[in-house]
Amino acid sequence: QVQLVESGGGLVQAGGSLRLSCAASGSILSINVMGWYRQAPGKQRELVATITSGGSTNYADSVKGRFTISRNNARTTVYLQMNSLKPEDTALYYCNGNFRTWTATQPVNYWGQGTQVTVSS
């Protein structure tokens, strides 16, 4: 199986920046896509940004121009650089990945435990 560990969350003032990291480990055969989702209190989980194995990126309209998703050279760690943070960005941020493993015959989604981002006004 695959383990995803997020880090980098915290409390920042509006207009500030944070950089989230997600490290993937385990019996990874290949990675199709990795990304970030977030869930605010009382709201459904929503897509923030994704990056494919080929490097293509996708962003929610609400974060486009402010957030940047990237990865390390081994493609096992994904980052989310968050600039110009707003109070509405406050949420629990989850790392997600779609992986092929040595023990599965089809790709499987894995989720991290989440890291809290709180933006004060």
Side-chain angles (χ1 to χ4, degrees), residues 25-38:
S25 62
S27 301
I28 300 172
L29 180 61
S30 62
I31 304 172
N32 184 29
V33 60
M34 294 184 68
W36 292 92
Y37 290 71
R38 67 186 182 186

Side-chain angles (χ1 to χ4, degrees), residues 37-96:
Y37 290 71
R38 67 186 182 186
Q39 187 167 23
K43 303 193 70 175
Q44 293 185 331
R45 190 173 300 183
E46 64 176 353
L47 172 72
V48 177
T50 60
I51 184 167
T52 69
S53 61
S56 298
T57 58
N58 182 51
Y59 298 92
D61 288 341
S62 60
V63 307
K64 194 171 297 182
R66 300 187 297 120
F67 292 9
T68 303
I69 190 169
S70 61
R71 64 188 180 187
N72 68 348
N73 292 141
R75 297 177 294 183
T76 53
T77 301
V78 65
Y79 308 96
L80 186 68
Q81 179 66 47
M82 304 184 294
N83 298 326
S84 302
L85 283 162
K86 305 174 181 179
E88 51 262 45
D89 294 318
T90 295
L92 189 63
Y93 283 70
Y94 295 92
C95 180
N96 170 263

